[in-house]
Amino acid sequence: MAVLKVIKAGDPVLRQPTQPVTRITKRVSRLIQDMFETMYAEDGVGLAAPQVGVSKKIAVIDVGEGPITLINPKVINGFGEDIDVEGCLSIPGKQAYVKRLAQVKVEALNEKGRSVLIEAEGMLARALQHEIDHLNGILFTDLIDEKEIFEGDG
Ligand code: NI
């Protein structure tokens, strides 16, 4: 396993549309392991493949409730509204209050290629939306006004 370099905002790879994963190859499995290692090394709660330079629909999350792997994830349902502080490993030192769906239902494949349905609220719901946005080339700073960004270690 290896800690990968986290790509910072301004790099075009963060804006490219990602490709769906069609097969869980050894290379994909290894990438997932490296993404977890990188996320934990950077004290993050989520990491998407474009952030390590890979334009594929893969993300990892751990908000303190255990590791979750998302392959080809999709929000299939959402309810309510929640505003809370958010940061991103690709935008170090910056945070903002971001409005998100309070509850989401996400369909994805897990690391074994099995279909999973994740129902979440709170921090996990926020992390799911943040990481899925990354897979569509969207950063949290796109969702707010620039003047709402403040200094913080998120
Ligand atoms: Ni992020």
Side-chain angles (χ1 to χ4, degrees):
M1 298 225 286
V3 173
L4 308 171
K5 185 172 169 267
V6 177
I7 289 167
K8 302 301 188 291
D11 190 306
V13 74
L14 293 176
R15 297 305 192 175
Q16 279 165 19
T18 51
Q19 299 303 311
V21 175
T22 51
R23 229 163 62 86
I24 317 289
T25 58
K26 268 191 184 152
R27 201 165 146 200
V28 166
S29 298
R30 194 199 181 120
L31 172 66
I32 291 166
Q33 289 184 4
D34 288 346
M35 284 173 63
F36 272 115
E37 195 170 328
T38 304
M39 178 185 77
Y40 291 128
E42 300 283 343
D43 279 327
V45 297
L47 188 71
Q51 294 182 277
V52 292
V54 179
S55 209
K56 283 188 168 110
K57 294 197 184 298
I58 302 172
V60 297
I61 290 176
D62 189 342
V63 296
E65 301 166 6
I68 297 174
T69 303
L70 302 160
I71 297 171
N72 305 338
K74 237 184 249 168
V75 175
I76 57 168
N77 221 330
F79 306 95
E81 214 176 87
D82 180 61
I83 298 174
D84 210 342
V85 177
E86 223 169 285
C88 179
L89 293 177
S90 293
I91 311 171
K94 309 281 183 200
Q95 292 189 312
Y97 283 89
V98 181
K99 185 161 80 178
R100 297 283 188 184
L101 292 165
Q103 293 176 282
V104 288
K105 205 181 272 188
V106 170
E107 192 181 71
L109 300 178
N110 68 10
E111 66 284 355
K112 291 172 182 141
R114 293 203 187 105
S115 181
V116 290
L117 196 61
I118 302 162
E119 290 184 72
E121 55 182 19
M123 201 171 172
L124 180 56
R126 179 165 297 276
L128 286 163
Q129 292 168 80
H130 179 114
E131 299 315 326
I132 291 170
D133 272 356
H134 270 300
L135 303 180
N136 294 312
I138 298 164
L139 303 175
F140 83 86
T141 46
D142 299 341
L143 308 177
I144 50 158
D145 199 282
E146 202 180 324
K147 62 180 184 295
E148 297 172 72
I149 300 169
F150 58 90
E151 303 292 315
D153 51 354

